[in-house]
Amino acid sequence: MHSDSGPQPDPYPDLDAMGGLLSALELAAADLGVEIAVVPGDWGPAMSAGIVASHPGRKPLSVRVRPSRRWFDVAGWSEGVELVTGVTPDLHDVVRAGVAWGAGRRLAELTALLPFLQFGELAAAHERGPAAVVDVQWRLMREQAATATEFREFGRLVEAAHAEPRLRQLYPFSSHWTLGFAAHTGTPCPPVVAISPAYGDRPYRVREYPQGDCLAEAATAPEAVALAVARLPAGLGAAVAGAAE
């Protein structure tokens, strides 16, 4: 089989000719007859950029260049949550996505306008509000626990926590099988309490956060849940405030 070990063609000759990604995005916007504001990205100006969003709460649409072939990765974030992603070789499509994202288009509108974009179930829930996110996340967590047949104590813990009304109002997540609970659905938001399932000779353990020191031990999942609830701040309700409030 013939193998060409020579130098590969540059997948971004237009970016090189225009002086980099930021300039290329501005020129592509001019071609489309739209105005955008572009800022440097977190991978450096040669590899990344952001198209500024005017819609409240939305971060600049992130644009990153894949080095090996012509692909532009885009991602839209709001309140620490990645809501929409996509990959395209067309710089004009990147600009179109930046304009639509920045104008506040809803996720379904974005994917209808630009099929290379996509979003998931949790992202869609974020559009409906924090309470919807909590409901979806609990369902996904319970589904995950139900399939973890190799670690049934995790499943028992998830079900016991879901049966407790105060924990059911919080945003659940898992880290190395430890179940954490946050008071908001965005980030950054540290957990208010966490519970590690029993394993071998170790009992259930209540922690301040997933990798934190053990605060209390319990023989059963319901007992661990009761100890965790006792450590919740007074008056803590549903995770409906959102990370920005």
Side-chain angles (χ1 to χ4, degrees):
M1 179 182 296
H2 174 71
S3 176
D4 184 7
S5 59
Q8 299 298 309
D10 181 1
Y12 302 102
D14 50 343
L15 270 62
D16 297 335
M18 295 175 189
L21 178 59
L22 273 69
S23 297
L25 287 168
E26 291 171 343
L27 289 171
D31 287 344
L32 294 171
V34 298
E35 293 185 2
I36 60 171
V38 186
V39 294
D42 54 2
W43 284 11
M47 299 292 293
S48 61
I51 301 176
V52 175
S54 59
H55 188 74
R58 289 192 173 183
K59 298 296 184 182
L61 186 76
S62 170
V63 184
R64 292 177 174 176
V65 173
R66 291 191 186 182
S68 57
R69 59 181 298 189
R70 188 180 179 85
W71 286 115
F72 299 101
D73 288 297
V74 303
W77 290 74
S78 177
E79 297 181 356
V81 179
E82 187 180 61
L83 296 183
V84 66
T85 61
V87 180
T88 178
D90 190 337
L91 202 60
H92 289 84
D93 275 348
V94 173
V95 171
R96 293 185 183 99
V99 171
W101 167 258
R105 294 271 195 170
R106 295 181 68 82
L107 300 181
E109 293 180 288
L110 287 170
T111 55
L113 287 169
L114 298 157
F116 78 91
L117 295 176
Q118 58 185 355
F119 63 91
E121 185 179 8
L122 270 175
H126 275 277
E127 285 195 326
R128 302 194 300 274
V133 177
V134 170
D135 287 344
V136 170
Q137 179 69 359
W138 265 114
R139 179 172 57 75
L140 295 175
M141 184 65 66
R142 296 178 74 193
E143 290 174 356
Q144 174 193 345
T147 61
T149 55
E150 76 282 7
F151 197 1
R152 297 190 182 279
E153 292 301 329
F154 177 72
R156 294 187 179 97
L157 173 58
V158 169
E159 289 304 311
H162 183 262
E164 167 52 51
R166 291 194 68 191
L167 291 184
R168 194 166 60 245
Q169 296 178 78
L170 302 178
Y171 182 83
F173 65 93
S174 62
S175 175
H176 297 87
W177 299 110
T178 293
L179 192 60
F181 305 90
H184 301 288
T185 58
T187 57
C189 181
V192 292
V193 73
I195 310 173
S196 296
Y199 180 72
D201 295 332
R202 293 190 311 181
Y204 289 87
R205 296 183 175 184
V206 178
R207 307 174 186 273
E208 185 176 2
Y209 53 91
Q211 283 75 48
D213 293 336
C214 177
L215 302 175
E217 296 182 347
T220 68
E223 291 172 352
V225 165
L227 289 171
V229 169
R231 292 185 172 272
L232 292 178
L236 185 67
V240 296
E245 298 184 14

